[in-house]
C-alpha cells in the first residue's frame, strides 16, 4: 500500500538528478530491495505506471532486482540462499533451528539509463 | 547513457526520523512506535500502560490508527495529552507526520511518548518515525503463521507482545510456533504473553518498558 509514497520519493530523486545531470528522458530505472522488505513488486510497478506517466519517466521501464534472503541453519550448519522458502525453517534439511541473516534491504535506486 | 545513482529511496524519511530522534533525545523523551494489525489491542495496551505508569511517568500519546476514530477520545478520557494524526488514508505513519505534531506537545514535561501506528502488519515496519523502540502486538485470533508471512515487522521490533492470551485455547493458537518463528526472524526479540482483558502478563511488559526508559535516561544524560 505504501508503494505510492515510495514511487513519489523515487520520482523526486530522479527529477533532482535530471536537473543536475541535464537529461530529459529516462529509459530505464534500476532498483533493488530485499526479498523480506515490505515492497510488493506488482504494486510498485502499478504505482510507477500511474505516477510517472506525465513526467520524464513516462516511457521508462522499471527494473526491480529482488535480493535473496539468507538463512543460517544450525542443524546442517550452513547458510542457505533461497528465494521462495518460508524464512522459519531450513529449505534443505527442514530443520527448524534457523535464523534469517539477510533479505531486509530497503528499496534502493541503483542506476538510471537516460538520454 | 547510464548513470550510477545508488540512493536509498527511504532516505528522505530516514533523515526526518533521525532529526525527530535527535529532538526527542534532547528533550529526554522516550518514544515507542506501537504496531499491529487492526484490532490486535494497541489502544487497549496504551490504556493499560498509562494506567499502570502514570504516577511515575509523564506520558503523551499520538494516535495514528485510522481504523478506529474513537482511539484518541479513549485516551483523552484518561486525561493524557493526545494528538490524532489524520493520515489521509495512508497505511503507515512517517517521520514527517510525527514532526507535525511537535507544536501540540509540551516535551519539557514529558517522559514517554507512545505512538499508536496505523493498524497494518506490513507498511509501518518500513518507516522510521524517530522512535527508541518498535513494539508490536500479535493477537492470538490472528494465528501463529504471521511471523513467517509478515517477517519484516518481527525483524524490526524490539518487543513482541502476544495479546489476547485469554482467547488462545478457543482459537487454537500455536504459541510455540509463533515464538519459534519470531525468534528465527529476530533472535533478539523480547516476547511477552499478555491479555489486556484478563490483565495477565502485563507486569513483564511494564518492567521491560520502565527498564528501557531508565537505561535511556542514563545514556541520554538524565540521571
Ligand atoms: N478477549 C480479549 N479481547 C481484547 C484483548 N485486548 C483487546 N481486546 C479487544 O479487542 C478489540 C480491539 O482492541 P483495540 O485495543 O481497539 O485494538 P487496536 O485496533 O489494535 O487499537 C476491542 O474490542 C478490545 O476490547 C484481550 O486481551 N482479550
Ligand atoms: Mg486502536
Ligand atoms: Zn538445514
Amino acid at each position: 500500500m505504501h508503494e505510492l509514497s515510495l514511487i513519489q520519493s523515487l520520482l523526486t530523486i530522479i527529477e533532482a538528478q535530471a536537473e543536475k545531470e541535464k537529461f530529459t528522458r529516462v529509459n530505464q530505472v534500476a532498483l533493488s530491495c530485499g526479498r523480506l522488505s515490505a515492497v510488493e513488486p506488482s504494486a510498485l510497478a502499478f504505482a510507477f505506471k500511474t505516477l510517472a506517466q506525465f513526467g520524464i519517466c513516462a516511457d521508462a521501464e522499471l527494473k526491480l532486482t529482488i535480493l535473496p534472503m539468507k538463512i543460517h541453519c544450525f542443524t546442517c550448519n550452513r547458510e542457505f540462499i533461497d528465494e521462495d522458502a518460508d524464512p522459519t525453517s531450513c529449505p534443505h534439511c527442514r530443520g527448524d533451528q534457523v535464523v534469517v541473516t539477510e533479505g531486509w534491504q530497503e528499496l534502493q535506486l541503483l542506476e538510471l539509463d537516460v538520454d | 547513457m547510464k548513470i550510477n545513482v545508488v540512493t536509498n529511496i527511504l532516505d528522505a524519511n530516514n533523515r526526518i526520523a533521525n532529526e525527530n530522534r535527535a529532538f526527542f533525545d534532547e528533550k529526554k523523551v522516550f518514544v515507542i512506535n506501537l504496531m499491529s494489525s487492526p484490532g490486535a489491542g494497541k489502544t487497549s495496551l496504551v490504556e493499560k500502560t498509562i494506567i499502570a505508569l502514570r504516577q511515575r511517568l509523564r506520558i503523551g500519546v499520538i494516535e495514528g490508527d485510522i481504523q478506529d476514530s474513537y482511539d484518541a477520545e479513549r485516551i483523552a478520557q484518561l486525561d493524557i495529552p493526545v494528538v490524532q494524526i489524520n493520515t489521509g488514508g495512508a497505511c503507515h505513519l512517517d517521520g514527517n507526520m510525527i514532526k507535525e505534531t511537535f507544536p501540540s506537545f509540551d516535551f519539557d514535561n514529558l517522559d514517554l511518548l507512545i505512538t499508536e501506528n496505523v493498524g497494518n502488519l506490513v507498511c509501518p515496519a518500513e518507516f522510521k518515525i524517530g522512535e527508541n523502540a518498535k513494539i508490536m502486538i500479535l493477537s492470538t485470533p490472528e494465528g501463529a503463521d504471521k511471523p513467517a508471512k509478515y517477517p519484516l515487522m518481527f525483524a524490526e521490533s524490539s518487543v513482541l507482545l502476544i495479546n489476547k492470551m485469554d482467547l488462545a485455547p478457543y482459537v487454537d493458537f500455536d504459541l510455540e510456533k509463533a515464538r519459534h518463528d519470531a525468534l528465527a526472524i529476530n533472535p533478539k526479540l523480547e516476547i511477552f504473553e499478555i491479555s489486556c482483558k484478563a490483565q495477565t502478563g502485563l507486569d513483564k511488559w511494564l518492567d521491560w518498558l520502565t527498564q528501557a526508559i531508565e537505561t535511556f535516561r542514563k545514556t541520554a544524560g538524565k540521571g
Side-chain angles (χ1 to χ4, degrees):
Chain A
M1 275 160 96
H2 61 292
E3 283 77 6
L4 279 172
S5 49
L6 293 176
I7 292 295
Q8 237 144 23
S9 305
L10 172 69
L11 293 174
T12 309
I13 293 166
I14 295 175
E15 276 153 25
Q17 279 289 326
E19 213 158 289
K20 204 171 96 196
E21 309 272 342
K22 310 270 177 256
F23 57 83
T24 52
R25 191 192 142 90
V26 180
N27 303 314
Q28 193 189 60
V29 179
L31 303 169
S32 73
C33 70
R35 162 130 243 126
L36 298 166
S37 73
V39 174
E40 168 59 49
S42 61
L44 197 72
F46 179 75
F48 186 74
K49 233 178 126 180
T50 310
L51 293 179
Q53 62 184 331
F54 301 116
I56 53 169
C57 290
D59 299 314
E61 177 204 357
L62 195 67
K63 187 175 151 224
L64 175 65
T65 305
I66 298 186
L67 307 168
M69 74 173 168
K70 286 188 184 161
I71 298 173
H72 180 83
C73 173
F74 295 100
T75 308
C76 37
N77 224 357
R78 278 185 289 171
E79 181 116 308
F80 286 95
I81 299 179
D82 195 296
E83 301 220 331
D84 300 309
D86 165 350
T88 60
S89 67
C90 174
H92 192 71
C93 72
R94 290 284 139 207
D96 67 356
Q97 298 302 305
V98 296
V99 63
V100 178
T101 57
E102 237 175 76
W104 315 106
Q105 297 90 334
E106 288 179 343
L107 190 64
Q108 287 234 325
L109 170 60
L110 300 176
E111 195 181 63
L112 294 171
D113 186 326
V114 301
D115 290 329
Chain B
M1 177 180 62
K2 297 216 177 202
I3 49 178
N4 211 320
V5 280
V6 179
T7 316
N8 189 325
I9 307 301
L10 287 159
D11 268 356
N13 182 65
N14 290 344
R15 206 183 52 241
I16 298 169
N18 290 340
E19 287 166 13
N20 290 353
R21 178 64 187 278
F23 173 79
F24 293 137
D25 279 356
E26 193 198 310
K27 296 290 181 187
K28 312 280 192 298
V29 178
F30 189 83
V31 182
I32 65 175
N33 181 359
L34 184 59
M35 308 178 291
S36 80
S37 311
K42 293 181 295 303
T43 310
S44 306
L45 183 80
V46 175
E47 290 170 326
K48 297 292 177 224
T49 304
I50 290 169
I51 291 164
L53 299 180
R54 65 181 311 159
Q55 305 298 338
R56 286 188 277 162
L57 298 169
R58 297 163 297 178
I59 305 172
V61 175
I62 294 176
E63 277 298 336
D65 195 347
I66 49 169
Q67 313 293 336
D68 179 8
S69 54
Y70 297 112
D71 287 359
E73 290 158 42
R74 275 167 69 182
I75 303 305
Q77 274 173 16
L78 297 172
D79 207 15
I80 287 283
V82 55
V83 173
Q84 170 90 46
I85 292 185
N86 192 337
T87 61
C91 49
H92 61 272
L93 294 178
D94 64 25
N96 204 43
M97 294 178 200
I98 299 302
K99 191 177 174 177
E100 283 172 0
T101 69
F102 285 3
S104 312
F105 287 105
D106 174 12
F107 286 104
D108 292 322
N109 286 302
L110 217 57
D111 302 306
L112 170 64
L113 179 64
I114 304 176
T115 302
E116 177 174 341
N117 216 310
V118 179
N120 179 333
L121 216 45
V122 183
C123 315
E126 269 206 334
F127 293 83
K128 297 181 183 69
I129 58 172
E131 67 278 66
N132 294 88
K134 289 180 171 143
I135 312 296
M136 76 169 292
I137 303 177
L138 172 69
S139 62
T140 56
E142 293 172 76
D145 60 346
K146 291 297 173 292
K149 281 193 177 150
Y150 303 100
L152 185 64
M153 195 172 285
F154 293 85
E156 288 283 323
S157 297
S158 305
V159 174
L160 166 63
L161 296 165
I162 303 183
N163 188 32
K164 308 197 187 178
M165 283 305 294
D166 57 301
L167 300 179
Y170 309 105
V171 294
D172 288 334
F173 183 73
D174 188 344
L175 181 62
E176 277 320 300
K177 178 177 165 55
R179 277 186 158 275
H180 167 271
D181 288 4
L183 289 172
I185 289 157
N186 179 359
K188 288 196 209 125
L189 193 62
E190 294 272 2
I191 304 176
F192 304 120
E193 293 143 37
I194 64 167
S195 167
C196 288
K197 188 177 179 201
Q199 314 236 35
T200 56
L202 289 164
D203 290 357
K204 284 198 176 126
W205 151 245
L206 295 167
D207 284 349
W208 182 93
L209 180 60
T210 39
Q211 191 62 51
I213 294 171
E214 219 159 275
T215 307
F216 164 73
R217 283 180 171 171
K218 278 183 195 136
T219 50
K222 190 195 218 176

